[in-house]
Amino acid sequence: MNLKRLTTLAIMACCLHQAEAQTSFSNGVNSIEFSGLLSGIYKQRFLDESNPNNHVGNVLSNPLNKKKNVFSLSTARFNIQGTRGTQWSYRMQLDFAQLGYTSGSGEFPALLDAWMAYKPIPSLKLTLGYQKLPYSANCNASLETQPYWQRAEITRGGIFSRRDMGLTIKKSFFGERINLYGGAYSGMGEYIMTTTTGGDNDQNGKPEYVARIDFSTSKLSYNDIYDVHNTQMPLLNIGLNARYVERTKSYNGMADYDLKIVNGKKRTIGADAAFAFKGFSAQFEIHQLRIQPKGSDTTRLQGKSTDHFNAGGMLVEVNYYNRKCKSGIYLRYDNFVPNDLIKNNQEQTLSFGYNYFLKGTKSMFKLQYLDRLDKKNTLLLRTNDELRVGWQVVL
């Protein structure tokens, strides 16, 4: 090993320090950081005996299915990220709690990030690799900053993908108060990194296109769910986004609603808004999907004289953070309609919870109760109330 490398390693060793949420090495030009996230959770479902969907085999004489009342390792993430000079950056992040699963989960995939980025100028960024898509503010908020254990149904990643392999271009203006995003991706979402696709695209070879624009009165992070900064001037952020993809094959049975990859054309548009002021904050999102199915997927048209059906949903959330009590409370309403051609299949959930911040979000207690507002509707997938409680530690 030459003298230059020895000197570099010595400088890096001297610069090693343990931050609150990361361990970093730096030689003054390049840097690398290591961090992790551990969280354990207990889930308890409250089953309605009058709903046959809650019974094993949907037979009333069978006992209630309580197998999902369980302690589980929610996340065990390891993250590596760094910079090369002022223009290059990269990130790789794995969740060991999800290894061995090949379902292509949008909310909890095994591989979360594997990308590199280049900034030719400070306001322009190109990101290539497996990454979060520039669609939906809530989808882009990191799990460790979320006050709840489960996102709203529309943004969990089962309706449209949250991550994919591709290229994103971001252009910012006025100190990142206005941001423009555009990108092209495989269109297979999280499935591109599983044995489901083997890394192959749809046989038409076409990408999925995604675009977004957001405006903010100040630089706003998607992670600012709670107003932990006790903002003294009202902060408002508004985002608009859209995506389009064409597939020739569907992947039914891989997700609850079989909407993630559909044989045909799928257009998705959405809008989101966020507000923060003196400990109070609020978020709103709405998304609408227009799906033109082909082949066997035309059964989704319910035999009606139309070439498409719509799906979509929304969420609205209000939060309050009290710095002295190290506590936060929230209330969220969300709904989702899988197919507007089917009557009475709107799923509605009211979530509320409490958070205790022992050391900010780096050591945080989370409690979430999900109140299903349509418990008696046997057409729906989500009819059981549920309690989720646990602790997370950022390493």
Side-chain angles (χ1 to χ4, degrees):
M1 185 177 294
N2 59 38
L3 180 61
K4 182 178 179 181
R5 290 186 178 180
L6 284 172
T7 304
T8 300
L9 287 175
I11 294 173
M12 292 174 67
C14 292
C15 293
L16 172 65
H17 67 279
Q18 178 65 48
E20 287 189 347
Q22 63 193 29
T23 299
S24 304
F25 294 91
S26 175
N27 64 0
V29 178
N30 306 320
S31 69
I32 185 170
E33 301 173 354
F34 303 92
S35 61
L37 173 66
L38 289 175
S39 61
I41 185 176
Y42 176 73
K43 296 183 287 186
Q44 172 75 45
R45 293 195 306 162
F46 301 91
L47 305 179
D48 183 354
E49 295 189 21
S50 66
N51 191 327
N53 290 338
N54 295 334
H55 295 255
V56 178
N58 293 340
V59 179
L60 290 174
S61 60
N62 286 346
L64 294 177
N65 183 355
K66 299 181 180 180
K67 67 179 181 180
K68 292 189 177 180
N69 295 345
V70 64
F71 287 97
S72 66
L73 180 65
S74 181
T75 56
R77 298 183 178 182
F78 178 67
N79 177 62
I80 303 174
Q81 64 188 71
T83 60
R84 300 282 295 178
T86 59
Q87 294 182 309
W88 293 92
S89 59
Y90 57 88
R91 185 176 188 181
M92 294 179 288
Q93 185 177 194
L94 277 171
D95 192 341
F96 291 95
Q98 306 302 321
L99 292 181
Y101 296 95
T102 59
S103 62
S105 168
E107 191 168 23
F108 298 108
L111 179 66
L112 295 107
D113 296 285
W115 52 260
M116 54 186 174
Y118 173 63
K119 280 188 172 184
I121 56 176
S123 62
L124 180 64
K125 183 178 180 181
L126 289 76
T127 305
L128 177 65
Y130 184 73
Q131 58 190 290
K132 285 185 178 179
L133 302 183
Y135 185 92
S136 167
N138 187 258
C139 283
N140 277 272
S142 300
L143 176 66
E144 59 266 28
T145 63
Q146 303 281 303
Y148 28 79
W149 289 109
Q150 182 173 293
R151 300 174 199 263
E153 198 65 37
I154 189 67
T155 58
R156 288 181 62 194
I159 314 305
F160 45 77
S161 57
R162 298 180 56 229
R163 293 175 171 86
D164 203 348
M165 184 73 190
L167 172 68
T168 302
I169 301 175
K170 175 186 177 183
K171 184 70 171 73
S172 300
F173 305 88
F174 307 111
E176 295 193 51
R177 288 177 174 84
I178 299 178
N179 302 289
L180 299 175
Y181 306 82
Y185 312 89
S186 78
M188 306 307 289
E190 290 81 7
Y191 294 129
I192 196 67
M193 302 303 298
T194 70
T195 56
T196 301
T197 66
D200 290 333
N201 194 1
D202 185 83
Q203 65 181 16
N204 66 17
K206 295 180 180 180
E208 178 173 15
Y209 300 100
V210 181
R212 176 177 172 84
I213 181 172
D214 56 41
F215 314 83
S216 182
T217 56
S218 181
K219 184 178 179 180
L220 175 70
S221 169
Y222 297 134
N223 295 325
D224 293 335
I225 307 299
Y226 280 122
D227 181 22
V228 296
H229 307 294
N230 195 31
T231 306
Q232 295 302 301
M233 292 291 292
L235 187 152
L236 177 65
N237 184 82
I238 297 175
L240 302 170
N241 30 225
R243 53 200 297 174
Y244 175 78
V245 65
E246 294 181 30
R247 306 286 85 176
T248 61
K249 179 183 177 181
S250 60
Y251 285 82
N252 295 333
M254 301 300 296
D256 290 328
Y257 306 99
D258 295 331
L259 292 173
K260 200 166 183 177
I261 301 179
V262 179
N263 181 5
K265 298 178 181 179
K266 179 178 173 182
R267 301 176 178 88
T268 309
I269 59 173
D272 51 73
F275 171 81
F277 183 57
K278 292 188 175 180
F280 292 93
S281 60
Q283 293 84 34
F284 170 80
E285 288 201 18
I286 186 168
H287 302 279
Q288 185 75 23
L289 292 76
R290 187 180 190 272
I291 300 172
Q292 293 177 266
K294 296 180 180 179
S296 60
D297 279 350
T298 55
T299 57
R300 299 166 182 258
L301 300 177
Q302 308 299 312
K304 299 185 179 181
S305 58
T306 179
D307 68 344
H308 74 278
F309 69 94
N310 297 318
M314 59 166 285
L315 70 91
V316 58
E317 180 178 336
V318 291
N319 320 277
Y320 175 68
Y321 174 76
N322 188 294
R323 185 178 298 177
K324 291 183 179 180
C325 296
K326 297 183 177 181
S327 297
I329 56 175
Y330 65 88
L331 178 68
R332 184 186 74 201
Y333 168 81
D334 71 90
N335 64 31
F336 176 63
V337 177
N339 188 330
D340 68 337
L341 299 179
I342 302 174
K343 294 182 179 180
N344 302 319
N345 71 333
Q346 177 181 234
E347 298 185 359
Q348 302 178 93
T349 303
L350 187 67
S351 299
F352 51 90
Y354 168 76
N355 302 101
Y356 179 72
F357 301 84
L358 181 65
K359 199 173 184 182
T361 58
K362 299 171 180 64
S363 181
M364 180 170 67
F365 170 81
K366 293 183 179 182
L367 182 150
Q368 179 181 14
Y369 188 88
L370 297 99
D371 182 10
R372 308 297 184 182
L373 302 181
D374 305 283
K375 298 179 180 63
K376 305 296 183 181
N377 193 334
T378 58
L379 296 177
L380 305 181
L381 292 173
R382 312 282 187 239
T383 58
N384 302 310
D385 288 359
E386 187 173 337
L387 174 68
R388 297 190 176 202
V389 58
W391 201 281
Q392 74 172 32
V393 177
V394 179
L395 305 174

